[in-house]
Amino acid sequence: MESMAATKIIVVSQKGGVGKSTISVNLAAWFRVIQDRSTIVLDYDPHGSSSTWLTDAKEIGVIAQHHPIDEAGGRRWLLTARTLLRRATEVHDVVIADLTWTAHTDPEFLLGFDLVLVPSGVSEIELAATTGFVERNGWVFDQKNRQLNAVPTLVICPSRIKSEQMLDHAFGQARFNVPFMLAPPMFDDVLIRDLFRKNFMIFLEGSVRDNFLKFADGIRRADEIHQQRKTLGGLVRPVQKHLSSYNSVLSKHLTQRPGETGQPGQSGTNLRNESVIAKPAVEETVPIRGKIVRPSPALSPALARFLSTIQSEK
């Protein structure tokens, strides 16, 4: 029987070069080494970057399997992929899938996961690709169209962020037609690229490791909220927890959305179904029957180091 405690994560992108395999592999290493949970990576990417990385790098106990998509038989691949996912979940605490999205990929496959992580750069072209993916497959995340416990949580992951992109970027104007969480950013660094087939971020020292630990902890929190929503049938009560400290011009920029309240530099309060507005939060913000629960204004001077905003369906 499938383990109820298992965490099922898929990292998916239809555009290369956004750090999909980097996130998959290093997140697997974090779950295995830091969280001490048995972890497997199902590499569905034709190039097999994740499985190659894990096979050639130092042994850390993460299982890697390569199962490239057979585009000639999309439906047959879906059945096979589901079987592989089910078997992996039966014997592992964490299952992470690495998938390059193509026109032949069946969106139904996403329904088997708890979290759908979509890495995205912050350029207009990269964000347009991310927005297009979400719009085309939005029904997967629409809680109004299917039972709540079958709906995965969408997590947008700003990836390979460069310093010059932290002051002005496209995420501030992004609009998605489904609820989503926004993960802490993954920064671009030459040290990360040198890790391929050799090592993992958790074994480094300095800012690269520190920033990744904050990203990984954000994914852990996203899973906690997702599991709460499944268990409580959509009624999630506020969790008064301080989020791990994080500070950057990027997070500040994401909270300063001009035009939402008519005042520049003010965070918006006009929450709509088709958009999610990034808000600073020292306390966790969670949905309760269509509303966003926010921390007390007295806490606002301490800017959020971590952005995790959810908009619940009405």
Side-chain angles (χ1 to χ4, degrees):
M1 179 181 294
E2 183 178 300
S3 173
M4 296 299 293
T7 296
K8 295 171 289 184
I9 300 172
I10 185 168
V11 187
V12 59
S13 174
Q14 62 182 10
K15 183 182 182 302
V18 295
K20 175 173 58 63
S21 296
T22 298
I23 289 176
S24 300
V25 167
N26 285 279
L27 198 56
W30 182 82
F31 274 112
R32 182 66 191 96
V33 177
I34 305 299
Q35 295 289 296
D36 193 25
R37 301 177 66 185
S38 61
T39 305
I40 184 172
V41 170
L42 300 178
D43 188 357
Y44 296 112
D45 191 290
H47 298 97
S49 297
S50 291
S51 52
T52 299
W53 188 333
L54 287 164
T55 301
D56 294 351
K58 61 187 298 184
E59 173 61 39
I60 58 173
V62 174
I63 305 299
Q65 297 180 359
H66 188 206
H67 304 283
I69 294 179
D70 178 8
E71 295 188 352
R75 195 68 186 180
R76 184 173 64 250
W77 176 86
L78 173 63
L79 297 176
T80 301
R82 280 176 169 172
T83 300
L84 292 168
L85 175 61
R86 184 182 68 254
R87 291 175 178 172
T89 308
E90 289 172 352
V91 294
H92 294 281
D93 300 323
V94 179
V95 180
I96 298 177
D98 180 339
L99 175 64
T100 297
W101 198 264
T102 72
H104 302 277
T105 309
D106 194 325
E108 286 188 23
F109 185 51
L110 299 178
L111 295 173
F113 293 88
D114 299 307
L115 304 180
V116 177
L117 275 54
V118 182
S120 176
V122 295
S123 71
E124 294 288 351
I125 294 177
E126 291 169 310
L127 188 60
T130 301
T131 304
F133 168 82
V134 173
E135 289 178 348
R136 285 189 297 273
N137 303 288
W139 66 271
V140 172
F141 310 100
D142 191 345
Q143 298 171 355
K144 294 180 292 186
N145 294 337
R146 50 181 58 248
Q147 295 179 352
L148 184 69
N149 60 5
V151 178
T153 294
L154 173 64
V155 183
I156 304 297
C157 305
S159 180
R160 293 189 173 175
I161 305 300
K162 298 180 183 295
S163 57
E164 62 267 24
Q165 294 173 318
M166 294 173 65
L167 293 174
D168 186 17
H169 59 82
F171 268 112
Q173 303 300 323
R175 286 290 185 272
F176 298 99
N177 58 355
V178 296
F180 72 98
M181 291 184 183
L182 185 63
M186 290 273 292
F187 292 101
D188 191 23
D189 194 296
V190 66
L191 292 177
I192 298 176
R193 306 189 184 207
D194 289 342
L195 292 176
F196 181 63
R197 299 172 64 176
K198 299 176 184 176
N199 207 345
F200 308 93
M201 288 189 225
I202 58 172
F203 297 119
L204 297 180
E205 296 181 357
S207 62
V208 171
R209 180 180 188 271
D210 294 341
N211 288 330
F212 177 74
L213 291 181
K214 290 161 187 172
F215 170 83
D217 189 63
I219 301 305
R220 179 191 62 79
R221 287 183 175 273
D223 182 56
E224 283 184 352
I225 294 174
H226 177 82
Q227 299 302 334
Q228 283 182 322
R229 295 174 69 184
K230 289 174 61 176
T231 302
L232 301 178
L235 177 59
V236 183
R237 302 187 181 280
V239 179
Q240 300 299 322
K241 292 182 180 179
H242 287 275
L243 302 177
S244 57
S245 61
Y246 177 76
N247 189 15
S248 75
V249 180
L250 175 63
S251 64
K252 183 177 180 180
H253 180 81
L254 282 168
T255 65
Q256 295 179 334
R257 296 279 301 282
E260 296 295 346
T261 62
Q263 299 294 328
Q266 296 288 331
S267 297
T269 58
N270 182 24
L271 296 179
R272 300 185 297 274
N273 277 339
E274 72 273 15
S275 67
V276 173
I277 299 171
K279 302 284 290 185
V282 175
E283 306 292 334
E284 211 160 56
T285 59
V286 292
I288 299 183
R289 297 195 184 280
K291 297 182 179 180
I292 297 294
V293 178
R294 298 189 180 88
S296 166
L299 297 174
S300 59
L303 274 181
R305 276 67 171 175
F306 171 91
L307 293 174
S308 176
T309 302
I310 306 173
Q311 179 185 4
S312 177
E313 77 284 0
K314 289 186 177 180

